[in-house]
Amino acid sequence: MEIDQWRREYVSGGLSRADLCDTPLEQFDKWLQELAPAGLSDPSSMILATADANGRPSQRVVLLKGYGDKGFTFFTNLQSQKARDIAANPQVCLLFPWHALDRQVIIYGRAEELDRQEAQAYFQTRPRDSQLAAWASHQSEPVESREQLEKAFLQTRERFPDEVPLPDFWGGYRVVPDTVEFWQGRASRLHDRFMYLLQDDGSWKVERLSP
C-alpha cells in the first residue's frame, strides 16, 4: 500500500464542552489518569519544540517530570541545543501524542529555568548510572565514537565512587503555559478540538476549533 493510502478512523470517543474541566491543568490531569488503563507506554514522553535566534525550529522527545499550577517541568543539559534555543527564544511548544486514545495535548508557553534547589532535588532521585551519564555526555556536541562515550562514562564512575554531585551544567525548565489545546480524534476527520486561552485576570477562556 502506498503511504498516502495509510489511514484509519479515529473511533476512541469524543470530547464535548461539557466534558471539560475549568482549567487546562485539571483537564490534563484528568486525561493523564486515563492513560494507565489504556496501557500506553511512556505516557510522560512529550515532544519539545524550540527555535533558535534565527528562527530555525527543532524538536526532540523529552520526559515530563512534574506539573502543577506553575507549569510543566523537564530536565536537561544546560549546554544542549534545546537549552541554547531557549536562551535565545524562551517561547516553546510541548506535544503529548497519546495515540492509543486518539488524543493530543499541545501546550504553548514560556520556558523558565528552574532554580538549583529544584534541580538538585530531582537529580538525587535519578538512578546512579543516569547521574553519571549526565556528567559523561556533552549533550548535542559531536563525539568521535561510541567507545569514547563509554570511556568517559567509566572515567566518571571512577571519579565519583560514592555520591554523584549535580553538574553545574545540568538543570531543568518549567514551561509556563498561556495556550493549551486538547485534541480528540473523531470519525471522518471531524475531530474535537478545544483551546484554553489564558486571560489577563488569570482565568481561562475556552474555544472550540474547527478540526
Side-chain angles (χ1 to χ4, degrees), residues 46 48 66 71-80 82-84 86-87 110-114 171-176:
M46 59 186 184
L48 167 66
F72 301 79
T73 60
F74 65 94
F75 295 86
T76 188
N77 186 306
L78 299 178
Q79 298 172 352
S80 64
K82 67 179 81 66
R84 294 196 297 269
I86 290 171
R110 181 182 180 87
E112 301 176 349
E113 188 174 341
L114 298 175
Y173 292 93
R174 176 179 292 110
V175 177
V176 182

mmCIF file with all atom_site columns, all heavy atoms in Angstrom, residues 46 48 66 71-80 82-84 86-87 110-114 171-176:
data_model
loop_
_atom_site.group_PDB
_atom_site.id
_atom_site.type_symbol
_atom_site.label_atom_id
_atom_site.label_alt_id
_atom_site.label_comp_id
_atom_site.label_asym_id
_atom_site.label_entity_id
_atom_site.label_seq_id
_atom_site.pdbx_PDB_ins_code
_atom_site.Cartn_x
_atom_site.Cartn_y
_atom_site.Cartn_z
_atom_site.occupancy
_atom_site.B_iso_or_equiv
_atom_site.pdbx_formal_charge
_atom_site.auth_seq_id
_atom_site.auth_comp_id
_atom_site.auth_asym_id
_atom_site.auth_atom_id
_atom_site.pdbx_PDB_model_num
ATOM 1   N N   . MET A 1 46  ? 7.040  13.573 25.819 1.00 0.00 ? 46  MET A N   1
ATOM 2   C CA  . MET A 1 46  ? 6.458  14.721 25.124 1.00 0.00 ? 46  MET A CA  1
ATOM 3   C C   . MET A 1 46  ? 7.481  15.262 24.131 1.00 0.00 ? 46  MET A C   1
ATOM 4   O O   . MET A 1 46  ? 8.691  15.114 24.308 1.00 0.00 ? 46  MET A O   1
ATOM 5   C CB  . MET A 1 46  ? 6.054  15.812 26.125 1.00 0.00 ? 46  MET A CB  1
ATOM 6   C CG  . MET A 1 46  ? 7.192  16.349 26.979 1.00 0.00 ? 46  MET A CG  1
ATOM 7   S SD  . MET A 1 46  ? 6.598  17.506 28.237 1.00 0.00 ? 46  MET A SD  1
ATOM 8   C CE  . MET A 1 46  ? 8.156  18.032 28.988 1.00 0.00 ? 46  MET A CE  1
ATOM 9   N N   . LEU A 1 48  ? 9.230  18.356 22.589 1.00 0.00 ? 48  LEU A N   1
ATOM 10  C CA  . LEU A 1 48  ? 9.544  19.750 22.890 1.00 0.00 ? 48  LEU A CA  1
ATOM 11  C C   . LEU A 1 48  ? 10.025 20.431 21.615 1.00 0.00 ? 48  LEU A C   1
ATOM 12  O O   . LEU A 1 48  ? 11.011 20.007 21.011 1.00 0.00 ? 48  LEU A O   1
ATOM 13  C CB  . LEU A 1 48  ? 10.627 19.825 23.970 1.00 0.00 ? 48  LEU A CB  1
ATOM 14  C CG  . LEU A 1 48  ? 11.294 21.184 24.174 1.00 0.00 ? 48  LEU A CG  1
ATOM 15  C CD1 . LEU A 1 48  ? 10.296 22.204 24.726 1.00 0.00 ? 48  LEU A CD1 1
ATOM 16  C CD2 . LEU A 1 48  ? 12.511 21.064 25.093 1.00 0.00 ? 48  LEU A CD2 1
ATOM 17  N N   . GLY A 1 66  ? 7.190  16.673 36.043 1.00 0.00 ? 66  GLY A N   1
ATOM 18  C CA  . GLY A 1 66  ? 6.311  17.271 37.039 1.00 0.00 ? 66  GLY A CA  1
ATOM 19  C C   . GLY A 1 66  ? 5.372  18.267 36.386 1.00 0.00 ? 66  GLY A C   1
ATOM 20  O O   . GLY A 1 66  ? 5.672  18.795 35.309 1.00 0.00 ? 66  GLY A O   1
ATOM 21  N N   . GLY A 1 71  ? 3.239  25.162 36.042 1.00 0.00 ? 71  GLY A N   1
ATOM 22  C CA  . GLY A 1 71  ? 3.595  24.730 34.706 1.00 0.00 ? 71  GLY A CA  1
ATOM 23  C C   . GLY A 1 71  ? 4.086  23.297 34.650 1.00 0.00 ? 71  GLY A C   1
ATOM 24  O O   . GLY A 1 71  ? 3.855  22.504 35.578 1.00 0.00 ? 71  GLY A O   1
ATOM 25  N N   . PHE A 1 72  ? 4.809  22.984 33.572 1.00 0.00 ? 72  PHE A N   1
ATOM 26  C CA  . PHE A 1 72  ? 5.244  21.622 33.248 1.00 0.00 ? 72  PHE A CA  1
ATOM 27  C C   . PHE A 1 72  ? 6.775  21.595 33.227 1.00 0.00 ? 72  PHE A C   1
ATOM 28  O O   . PHE A 1 72  ? 7.398  22.418 32.560 1.00 0.00 ? 72  PHE A O   1
ATOM 29  C CB  . PHE A 1 72  ? 4.688  21.205 31.887 1.00 0.00 ? 72  PHE A CB  1
ATOM 30  C CG  . PHE A 1 72  ? 3.182  21.242 31.823 1.00 0.00 ? 72  PHE A CG  1
ATOM 31  C CD1 . PHE A 1 72  ? 2.501  22.446 31.651 1.00 0.00 ? 72  PHE A CD1 1
ATOM 32  C CD2 . PHE A 1 72  ? 2.449  20.081 31.952 1.00 0.00 ? 72  PHE A CD2 1
ATOM 33  C CE1 . PHE A 1 72  ? 1.111  22.485 31.596 1.00 0.00 ? 72  PHE A CE1 1
ATOM 34  C CE2 . PHE A 1 72  ? 1.057  20.105 31.905 1.00 0.00 ? 72  PHE A CE2 1
ATOM 35  C CZ  . PHE A 1 72  ? 0.391  21.314 31.728 1.00 0.00 ? 72  PHE A CZ  1
ATOM 36  N N   . THR A 1 73  ? 7.383  20.644 33.937 1.00 0.00 ? 73  THR A N   1
ATOM 37  C CA  . THR A 1 73  ? 8.835  20.656 34.112 1.00 0.00 ? 73  THR A CA  1
ATOM 38  C C   . THR A 1 73  ? 9.521  19.485 33.427 1.00 0.00 ? 73  THR A C   1
ATOM 39  O O   . THR A 1 73  ? 8.964  18.393 33.312 1.00 0.00 ? 73  THR A O   1
ATOM 40  C CB  . THR A 1 73  ? 9.216  20.647 35.599 1.00 0.00 ? 73  THR A CB  1
ATOM 41  O OG1 . THR A 1 73  ? 8.691  19.469 36.219 1.00 0.00 ? 73  THR A OG1 1
ATOM 42  C CG2 . THR A 1 73  ? 8.669  21.876 36.306 1.00 0.00 ? 73  THR A CG2 1
ATOM 43  N N   . PHE A 1 74  ? 10.745 19.749 32.971 1.00 0.00 ? 74  PHE A N   1
ATOM 44  C CA  . PHE A 1 74  ? 11.635 18.720 32.434 1.00 0.00 ? 74  PHE A CA  1
ATOM 45  C C   . PHE A 1 74  ? 13.064 19.123 32.764 1.00 0.00 ? 74  PHE A C   1
ATOM 46  O O   . PHE A 1 74  ? 13.331 20.274 33.131 1.00 0.00 ? 74  PHE A O   1
ATOM 47  C CB  . PHE A 1 74  ? 11.447 18.541 30.926 1.00 0.00 ? 74  PHE A CB  1
ATOM 48  C CG  . PHE A 1 74  ? 11.844 19.746 30.094 1.00 0.00 ? 74  PHE A CG  1
ATOM 49  C CD1 . PHE A 1 74  ? 13.123 19.844 29.552 1.00 0.00 ? 74  PHE A CD1 1
ATOM 50  C CD2 . PHE A 1 74  ? 10.939 20.769 29.843 1.00 0.00 ? 74  PHE A CD2 1
ATOM 51  C CE1 . PHE A 1 74  ? 13.492 20.943 28.794 1.00 0.00 ? 74  PHE A CE1 1
ATOM 52  C CE2 . PHE A 1 74  ? 11.301 21.879 29.079 1.00 0.00 ? 74  PHE A CE2 1
ATOM 53  C CZ  . PHE A 1 74  ? 12.583 21.963 28.550 1.00 0.00 ? 74  PHE A CZ  1
ATOM 54  N N   . PHE A 1 75  ? 13.993 18.164 32.616 1.00 0.00 ? 75  PHE A N   1
ATOM 55  C CA  . PHE A 1 75  ? 15.392 18.393 32.980 1.00 0.00 ? 75  PHE A CA  1
ATOM 56  C C   . PHE A 1 75  ? 16.299 18.037 31.806 1.00 0.00 ? 75  PHE A C   1
ATOM 57  O O   . PHE A 1 75  ? 15.969 17.176 30.987 1.00 0.00 ? 75  PHE A O   1
ATOM 58  C CB  . PHE A 1 75  ? 15.753 17.581 34.224 1.00 0.00 ? 75  PHE A CB  1
ATOM 59  C CG  . PHE A 1 75  ? 15.005 18.024 35.446 1.00 0.00 ? 75  PHE A CG  1
ATOM 60  C CD1 . PHE A 1 75  ? 13.738 17.523 35.728 1.00 0.00 ? 75  PHE A CD1 1
ATOM 61  C CD2 . PHE A 1 75  ? 15.540 18.975 36.296 1.00 0.00 ? 75  PHE A CD2 1
ATOM 62  C CE1 . PHE A 1 75  ? 13.030 17.949 36.829 1.00 0.00 ? 75  PHE A CE1 1
ATOM 63  C CE2 . PHE A 1 75  ? 14.837 19.412 37.414 1.00 0.00 ? 75  PHE A CE2 1
ATOM 64  C CZ  . PHE A 1 75  ? 13.584 18.900 37.683 1.00 0.00 ? 75  PHE A CZ  1
ATOM 65  N N   . THR A 1 76  ? 17.466 18.699 31.766 1.00 0.00 ? 76  THR A N   1
ATOM 66  C CA  . THR A 1 76  ? 18.360 18.508 30.628 1.00 0.00 ? 76  THR A CA  1
ATOM 67  C C   . THR A 1 76  ? 19.724 19.117 30.912 1.00 0.00 ? 76  THR A C   1
ATOM 68  O O   . THR A 1 76  ? 19.943 19.793 31.928 1.00 0.00 ? 76  THR A O   1
ATOM 69  C CB  . THR A 1 76  ? 17.761 19.162 29.370 1.00 0.00 ? 76  THR A CB  1
ATOM 70  O OG1 . THR A 1 76  ? 18.542 18.819 28.227 1.00 0.00 ? 76  THR A OG1 1
ATOM 71  C CG2 . THR A 1 76  ? 17.723 20.678 29.501 1.00 0.00 ? 76  THR A CG2 1
ATOM 72  N N   . ASN A 1 77  ? 20.648 18.878 29.980 1.00 0.00 ? 77  ASN A N   1
ATOM 73  C CA  . ASN A 1 77  ? 21.947 19.544 29.979 1.00 0.00 ? 77  ASN A CA  1
ATOM 74  C C   . ASN A 1 77  ? 21.730 21.005 29.576 1.00 0.00 ? 77  ASN A C   1
ATOM 75  O O   . ASN A 1 77  ? 21.104 21.282 28.557 1.00 0.00 ? 77  ASN A O   1
ATOM 76  C CB  . ASN A 1 77  ? 22.875 18.821 28.991 1.00 0.00 ? 77  ASN A CB  1
ATOM 77  C CG  . ASN A 1 77  ? 24.287 19.347 29.012 1.00 0.00 ? 77  ASN A CG  1
ATOM 78  O OD1 . ASN A 1 77  ? 24.523 20.533 28.858 1.00 0.00 ? 77  ASN A OD1 1
ATOM 79  N ND2 . ASN A 1 77  ? 25.245 18.452 29.189 1.00 0.00 ? 77  ASN A ND2 1
ATOM 80  N N   . LEU A 1 78  ? 22.243 21.920 30.371 1.00 0.00 ? 78  LEU A N   1
ATOM 81  C CA  . LEU A 1 78  ? 22.027 23.339 30.114 1.00 0.00 ? 78  LEU A CA  1
ATOM 82  C C   . LEU A 1 78  ? 22.917 23.893 29.010 1.00 0.00 ? 78  LEU A C   1
ATOM 83  O O   . LEU A 1 78  ? 22.853 25.084 28.697 1.00 0.00 ? 78  LEU A O   1
ATOM 84  C CB  . LEU A 1 78  ? 22.241 24.134 31.411 1.00 0.00 ? 78  LEU A CB  1
ATOM 85  C CG  . LEU A 1 78  ? 21.301 23.776 32.558 1.00 0.00 ? 78  LEU A CG  1
ATOM 86  C CD1 . LEU A 1 78  ? 21.644 24.580 33.803 1.00 0.00 ? 78  LEU A CD1 1
ATOM 87  C CD2 . LEU A 1 78  ? 19.843 23.998 32.158 1.00 0.00 ? 78  LEU A CD2 1
ATOM 88  N N   . GLN A 1 79  ? 23.752 23.027 28.413 1.00 0.00 ? 79  GLN A N   1
ATOM 89  C CA  . GLN A 1 79  ? 24.561 23.420 27.264 1.00 0.00 ? 79  GLN A CA  1
ATOM 90  C C   . GLN A 1 79  ? 24.093 22.722 25.984 1.00 0.00 ? 79  GLN A C   1
ATOM 91  O O   . GLN A 1 79  ? 24.746 22.809 24.955 1.00 0.00 ? 79  GLN A O   1
ATOM 92  C CB  . GLN A 1 79  ? 26.038 23.097 27.535 1.00 0.00 ? 79  GLN A CB  1
ATOM 93  C CG  . GLN A 1 79  ? 26.602 23.857 28.723 1.00 0.00 ? 79  GLN A CG  1
ATOM 94  C CD  . GLN A 1 79  ? 28.002 23.401 29.121 1.00 0.00 ? 79  GLN A CD  1
ATOM 95  O OE1 . GLN A 1 79  ? 28.513 22.410 28.596 1.00 0.00 ? 79  GLN A OE1 1
ATOM 96  N NE2 . GLN A 1 79  ? 28.615 24.117 30.046 1.00 0.00 ? 79  GLN A NE2 1
ATOM 97  N N   . SER A 1 80  ? 22.957 22.043 26.053 1.00 0.00 ? 80  SER A N   1
ATOM 98  C CA  . SER A 1 80  ? 22.418 21.312 24.911 1.00 0.00 ? 80  SER A CA  1
ATOM 99  C C   . SER A 1 80  ? 21.805 22.262 23.890 1.00 0.00 ? 80  SER A C   1
ATOM 100 O O   . SER A 1 80  ? 21.646 23.462 24.141 1.00 0.00 ? 80  SER A O   1
ATOM 101 C CB  . SER A 1 80  ? 21.352 20.328 25.390 1.00 0.00 ? 80  SER A CB  1
ATOM 102 O OG  . SER A 1 80  ? 20.258 21.039 25.954 1.00 0.00 ? 80  SER A OG  1
ATOM 103 N N   . LYS A 1 82  ? 18.712 22.336 22.925 1.00 0.00 ? 82  LYS A N   1
ATOM 104 C CA  . LYS A 1 82  ? 17.436 22.862 23.409 1.00 0.00 ? 82  LYS A CA  1
ATOM 105 C C   . LYS A 1 82  ? 17.655 24.020 24.377 1.00 0.00 ? 82  LYS A C   1
ATOM 106 O O   . LYS A 1 82  ? 16.910 25.005 24.353 1.00 0.00 ? 82  LYS A O   1
ATOM 107 C CB  . LYS A 1 82  ? 16.598 21.744 24.037 1.00 0.00 ? 82  LYS A CB  1
ATOM 108 C CG  . LYS A 1 82  ? 17.140 21.152 25.308 1.00 0.00 ? 82  LYS A CG  1
ATOM 109 C CD  . LYS A 1 82  ? 16.236 20.067 25.865 1.00 0.00 ? 82  LYS A CD  1
ATOM 110 C CE  . LYS A 1 82  ? 16.430 18.735 25.184 1.00 0.00 ? 82  LYS A CE  1
ATOM 111 N NZ  . LYS A 1 82  ? 17.774 18.125 25.429 1.00 0.00 ? 82  LYS A NZ  1
ATOM 112 N N   . ALA A 1 83  ? 18.677 23.899 25.221 1.00 0.00 ? 83  ALA A N   1
ATOM 113 C CA  . ALA A 1 83  ? 18.956 24.968 26.180 1.00 0.00 ? 83  ALA A CA  1
ATOM 114 C C   . ALA A 1 83  ? 19.448 26.224 25.478 1.00 0.00 ? 83  ALA A C   1
ATOM 115 O O   . ALA A 1 83  ? 19.075 27.349 25.859 1.00 0.00 ? 83  ALA A O   1
ATOM 116 C CB  . ALA A 1 83  ? 19.977 24.492 27.205 1.00 0.00 ? 83  ALA A CB  1
ATOM 117 N N   . ARG A 1 84  ? 20.265 26.052 24.454 1.00 0.00 ? 84  ARG A N   1
ATOM 118 C CA  . ARG A 1 84  ? 20.734 27.216 23.694 1.00 0.00 ? 84  ARG A CA  1
ATOM 119 C C   . ARG A 1 84  ? 19.570 27.894 22.982 1.00 0.00 ? 84  ARG A C   1
ATOM 120 O O   . ARG A 1 84  ? 19.498 29.128 22.925 1.00 0.00 ? 84  ARG A O   1
ATOM 121 C CB  . ARG A 1 84  ? 21.819 26.796 22.700 1.00 0.00 ? 84  ARG A CB  1
ATOM 122 C CG  . ARG A 1 84  ? 23.103 26.298 23.361 1.00 0.00 ? 84  ARG A CG  1
ATOM 123 C CD  . ARG A 1 84  ? 24.265 26.275 22.381 1.00 0.00 ? 84  ARG A CD  1
ATOM 124 N NE  . ARG A 1 84  ? 24.050 25.348 21.275 1.00 0.00 ? 84  ARG A NE  1
ATOM 125 C CZ  . ARG A 1 84  ? 24.431 24.072 21.275 1.00 0.00 ? 84  ARG A CZ  1
ATOM 126 N NH1 . ARG A 1 84  ? 25.038 23.563 22.341 1.00 0.00 ? 84  ARG A NH1 1
ATOM 127 N NH2 . ARG A 1 84  ? 24.232 23.308 20.215 1.00 0.00 ? 84  ARG A NH2 1
ATOM 128 N N   . ILE A 1 86  ? 16.418 27.876 23.964 1.00 0.00 ? 86  ILE A N   1
ATOM 129 C CA  . ILE A 1 86  ? 15.591 28.538 24.968 1.00 0.00 ? 86  ILE A CA  1
ATOM 130 C C   . ILE A 1 86  ? 16.224 29.847 25.433 1.00 0.00 ? 86  ILE A C   1
ATOM 131 O O   . ILE A 1 86  ? 15.525 30.839 25.685 1.00 0.00 ? 86  ILE A O   1
ATOM 132 C CB  . ILE A 1 86  ? 15.334 27.589 26.149 1.00 0.00 ? 86  ILE A CB  1
ATOM 133 C CG1 . ILE A 1 86  ? 14.385 26.456 25.707 1.00 0.00 ? 86  ILE A CG1 1
ATOM 134 C CG2 . ILE A 1 86  ? 14.743 28.331 27.344 1.00 0.00 ? 86  ILE A CG2 1
ATOM 135 C CD1 . ILE A 1 86  ? 14.237 25.340 26.712 1.00 0.00 ? 86  ILE A CD1 1
ATOM 136 N N   . ALA A 1 87  ? 17.551 29.867 25.527 1.00 0.00 ? 87  ALA A N   1
ATOM 137 C CA  . ALA A 1 87  ? 18.236 31.103 25.915 1.00 0.00 ? 87  ALA A CA  1
ATOM 138 C C   . ALA A 1 87  ? 17.997 32.206 24.894 1.00 0.00 ? 87  ALA A C   1
ATOM 139 O O   . ALA A 1 87  ? 17.881 33.385 25.242 1.00 0.00 ? 87  ALA A O   1
ATOM 140 C CB  . ALA A 1 87  ? 19.733 30.842 26.078 1.00 0.00 ? 87  ALA A CB  1
ATOM 141 N N   . ARG A 1 110 ? 6.078  29.773 27.851 1.00 0.00 ? 110 ARG A N   1
ATOM 142 C CA  . ARG A 1 110 ? 7.425  30.304 28.040 1.00 0.00 ? 110 ARG A CA  1
ATOM 143 C C   . ARG A 1 110 ? 8.208  29.380 28.959 1.00 0.00 ? 110 ARG A C   1
ATOM 144 O O   . ARG A 1 110 ? 7.717  28.993 30.027 1.00 0.00 ? 110 ARG A O   1
ATOM 145 C CB  . ARG A 1 110 ? 7.348  31.709 28.652 1.00 0.00 ? 110 ARG A CB  1
ATOM 146 C CG  . ARG A 1 110 ? 8.698  32.379 28.883 1.00 0.00 ? 110 ARG A CG  1
ATOM 147 C CD  . ARG A 1 110 ? 8.511  33.746 29.541 1.00 0.00 ? 110 ARG A CD  1
ATOM 148 N NE  . ARG A 1 110 ? 9.781  34.405 29.779 1.00 0.00 ? 110 ARG A NE  1
ATOM 149 C CZ  . ARG A 1 110 ? 10.402 35.165 28.881 1.00 0.00 ? 110 ARG A CZ  1
ATOM 150 N NH1 . ARG A 1 110 ? 9.852  35.367 27.698 1.00 0.00 ? 110 ARG A NH1 1
ATOM 151 N NH2 . ARG A 1 110 ? 11.570 35.729 29.163 1.00 0.00 ? 110 ARG A NH2 1
ATOM 152 N N   . ALA A 1 111 ? 9.424  29.019 28.546 1.00 0.00 ? 111 ALA A N   1
ATOM 153 C CA  . ALA A 1 111 ? 10.287 28.153 29.357 1.00 0.00 ? 111 ALA A CA  1
ATOM 154 C C   . ALA A 1 111 ? 11.138 29.005 30.293 1.00 0.00 ? 111 ALA A C   1
ATOM 155 O O   . ALA A 1 111 ? 11.811 29.944 29.855 1.00 0.00 ? 111 ALA A O   1
ATOM 156 C CB  . ALA A 1 111 ? 11.181 27.312 28.458 1.00 0.00 ? 111 ALA A CB  1
ATOM 157 N N   . GLU A 1 112 ? 11.105 28.659 31.571 1.00 0.00 ? 112 GLU A N   1
ATOM 158 C CA  . GLU A 1 112 ? 11.893 29.362 32.585 1.00 0.00 ? 112 GLU A CA  1
ATOM 159 C C   . GLU A 1 112 ? 12.794 28.353 33.286 1.00 0.00 ? 112 GLU A C   1
ATOM 160 O O   . GLU A 1 112 ? 12.341 27.265 33.652 1.00 0.00 ? 112 GLU A O   1
ATOM 161 C CB  . GLU A 1 112 ? 10.966 30.035 33.605 1.00 0.00 ? 112 GLU A CB  1
ATOM 162 C CG  . GLU A 1 112 ? 10.004 31.032 32.990 1.00 0.00 ? 112 GLU A CG  1
ATOM 163 C CD  . GLU A 1 112 ? 9.026  31.615 33.997 1.00 0.00 ? 112 GLU A CD  1
ATOM 164 O OE1 . GLU A 1 112 ? 8.974  31.076 35.141 1.00 0.00 ? 112 GLU A OE1 1
ATOM 165 O OE2 . GLU A 1 112 ? 8.331  32.588 33.666 1.00 0.00 ? 112 GLU A OE2 1
ATOM 166 N N   . GLU A 1 113 ? 14.053 28.718 33.481 1.00 0.00 ? 113 GLU A N   1
ATOM 167 C CA  . GLU A 1 113 ? 14.986 27.801 34.136 1.00 0.00 ? 113 GLU A CA  1
ATOM 168 C C   . GLU A 1 113 ? 14.629 27.636 35.606 1.00 0.00 ? 113 GLU A C   1
ATOM 169 O O   . GLU A 1 113 ? 14.317 28.608 36.305 1.00 0.00 ? 113 GLU A O   1
ATOM 170 C CB  . GLU A 1 113 ? 16.416 28.312 34.001 1.00 0.00 ? 113 GLU A CB  1
ATOM 171 C CG  . GLU A 1 113 ? 17.456 27.312 34.483 1.00 0.00 ? 113 GLU A CG  1
ATOM 172 C CD  . GLU A 1 113 ? 18.886 27.757 34.212 1.00 0.00 ? 113 GLU A CD  1
ATOM 173 O OE1 . GLU A 1 113 ? 19.093 28.646 33.354 1.00 0.00 ? 113 GLU A OE1 1
ATOM 174 O OE2 . GLU A 1 113 ? 19.803 27.235 34.874 1.00 0.00 ? 113 GLU A OE2 1
ATOM 175 N N   . LEU A 1 114 ? 14.670 26.402 36.076 1.00 0.00 ? 114 LEU A N   1
ATOM 176 C CA  . LEU A 1 114 ? 14.401 26.111 37.483 1.00 0.00 ? 114 LEU A CA  1
ATOM 177 C C   . LEU A 1 114 ? 15.598 26.514 38.338 1.00 0.00 ? 114 LEU A C   1
ATOM 178 O O   . LEU A 1 114 ? 16.740 26.571 37.860 1.00 0.00 ? 114 LEU A O   1
ATOM 179 C CB  . LEU A 1 114 ? 14.131 24.618 37.662 1.00 0.00 ? 114 LEU A CB  1
ATOM 180 C CG  . LEU A 1 114 ? 12.917 24.047 36.916 1.00 0.00 ? 114 LEU A CG  1
ATOM 181 C CD1 . LEU A 1 114 ? 12.862 22.541 37.110 1.00 0.00 ? 114 LEU A CD1 1
ATOM 182 C CD2 . LEU A 1 114 ? 11.626 24.690 37.397 1.00 0.00 ? 114 LEU A CD2 1
ATOM 183 N N   . GLY A 1 171 ? 20.378 21.038 34.613 1.00 0.00 ? 171 GLY A N   1
ATOM 184 C CA  . GLY A 1 171 ? 19.290 21.617 35.373 1.00 0.00 ? 171 GLY A CA  1
ATOM 185 C C   . GLY A 1 171 ? 17.953 21.335 34.720 1.00 0.00 ? 171 GLY A C   1
ATOM 186 O O   . GLY A 1 171 ? 17.792 20.348 34.001 1.00 0.00 ? 171 GLY A O   1
ATOM 187 N N   . GLY A 1 172 ? 16.993 22.221 34.955 1.00 0.00 ? 172 GLY A N   1
ATOM 188 C CA  . GLY A 1 172 ? 15.650 21.966 34.440 1.00 0.00 ? 172 GLY A CA  1
ATOM 189 C C   . GLY A 1 172 ? 14.950 23.239 34.026 1.00 0.00 ? 172 GLY A C   1
ATOM 190 O O   . GLY A 1 172 ? 15.422 24.358 34.270 1.00 0.00 ? 172 GLY A O   1
ATOM 191 N N   . TYR A 1 173 ? 13.794 23.041 33.399 1.00 0.00 ? 173 TYR A N   1
ATOM 192 C CA  . TYR A 1 173 ? 12.961 24.149 32.937 1.00 0.00 ? 173 TYR A CA  1
ATOM 193 C C   . TYR A 1 173 ? 11.507 23.888 33.316 1.00 0.00 ? 173 TYR A C   1
ATOM 194 O O   . TYR A 1 173 ? 11.068 22.742 33.408 1.00 0.00 ? 173 TYR A O   1
ATOM 195 C CB  . TYR A 1 173 ? 13.054 24.306 31.419 1.00 0.00 ? 173 TYR A CB  1
ATOM 196 C CG  . TYR A 1 173 ? 14.409 24.762 30.937 1.00 0.00 ? 173 TYR A CG  1
ATOM 197 C CD1 . TYR A 1 173 ? 15.371 23.834 30.557 1.00 0.00 ? 173 TYR A CD1 1
ATOM 198 C CD2 . TYR A 1 173 ? 14.732 26.113 30.862 1.00 0.00 ? 173 TYR A CD2 1
ATOM 199 C CE1 . TYR A 1 173 ? 16.617 24.238 30.108 1.00 0.00 ? 173 TYR A CE1 1
ATOM 200 C CE2 . TYR A 1 173 ? 15.973 26.531 30.423 1.00 0.00 ? 173 TYR A CE2 1
ATOM 201 C CZ  . TYR A 1 173 ? 16.918 25.587 30.047 1.00 0.00 ? 173 TYR A CZ  1
ATOM 202 O OH  . TYR A 1 173 ? 18.160 25.987 29.614 1.00 0.00 ? 173 TYR A OH  1
ATOM 203 N N   . ARG A 1 174 ? 10.799 24.974 33.505 1.00 0.00 ? 174 ARG A N   1
ATOM 204 C CA  . ARG A 1 174 ? 9.357  24.914 33.678 1.00 0.00 ? 174 ARG A CA  1
ATOM 205 C C   . ARG A 1 174 ? 8.722  25.673 32.519 1.00 0.00 ? 174 ARG A C   1
ATOM 206 O O   . ARG A 1 174 ? 9.072  26.834 32.261 1.00 0.00 ? 174 ARG A O   1
ATOM 207 C CB  . ARG A 1 174 ? 8.933  25.531 35.000 1.00 0.00 ? 174 ARG A CB  1
ATOM 208 C CG  . ARG A 1 174 ? 7.410  25.577 35.186 1.00 0.00 ? 174 ARG A CG  1
ATOM 209 C CD  . ARG A 1 174 ? 7.005  26.169 36.519 1.00 0.00 ? 174 ARG A CD  1
ATOM 210 N NE  . ARG A 1 174 ? 7.396  25.287 37.631 1.00 0.00 ? 174 ARG A NE  1
ATOM 211 C CZ  . ARG A 1 174 ? 8.351  25.545 38.507 1.00 0.00 ? 174 ARG A CZ  1
ATOM 212 N NH1 . ARG A 1 174 ? 9.049  26.679 38.403 1.00 0.00 ? 174 ARG A NH1 1
ATOM 213 N NH2 . ARG A 1 174 ? 8.633  24.698 39.464 1.00 0.00 ? 174 ARG A NH2 1
ATOM 214 N N   . VAL A 1 175 ? 7.808  25.017 31.824 1.00 0.00 ? 175 VAL A N   1
ATOM 215 C CA  . VAL A 1 175 ? 7.070  25.671 30.755 1.00 0.00 ? 175 VAL A CA  1
ATOM 216 C C   . VAL A 1 175 ? 5.779  26.222 31.350 1.00 0.00 ? 175 VAL A C   1
ATOM 217 O O   . VAL A 1 175 ? 4.916  25.463 31.805 1.00 0.00 ? 175 VAL A O   1
ATOM 218 C CB  . VAL A 1 175 ? 6.759  24.698 29.603 1.00 0.00 ? 175 VAL A CB  1
ATOM 219 C CG1 . VAL A 1 175 ? 5.927  25.396 28.522 1.00 0.00 ? 175 VAL A CG1 1
ATOM 220 C CG2 . VAL A 1 175 ? 8.054  24.164 29.004 1.00 0.00 ? 175 VAL A CG2 1
ATOM 221 N N   . VAL A 1 176 ? 5.682  27.540 31.374 1.00 0.00 ? 176 VAL A N   1
ATOM 222 C CA  . VAL A 1 176 ? 4.512  28.226 31.925 1.00 0.00 ? 176 VAL A CA  1
ATOM 223 C C   . VAL A 1 176 ? 3.529  28.454 30.774 1.00 0.00 ? 176 VAL A C   1
ATOM 224 O O   . VAL A 1 176 ? 3.805  29.236 29.863 1.00 0.00 ? 176 VAL A O   1
ATOM 225 C CB  . VAL A 1 176 ? 4.903  29.559 32.578 1.00 0.00 ? 176 VAL A CB  1
ATOM 226 C CG1 . VAL A 1 176 ? 3.672  30.237 33.179 1.00 0.00 ? 176 VAL A CG1 1
ATOM 227 C CG2 . VAL A 1 176 ? 5.982  29.340 33.632 1.00 0.00 ? 176 VAL A CG2 1
#
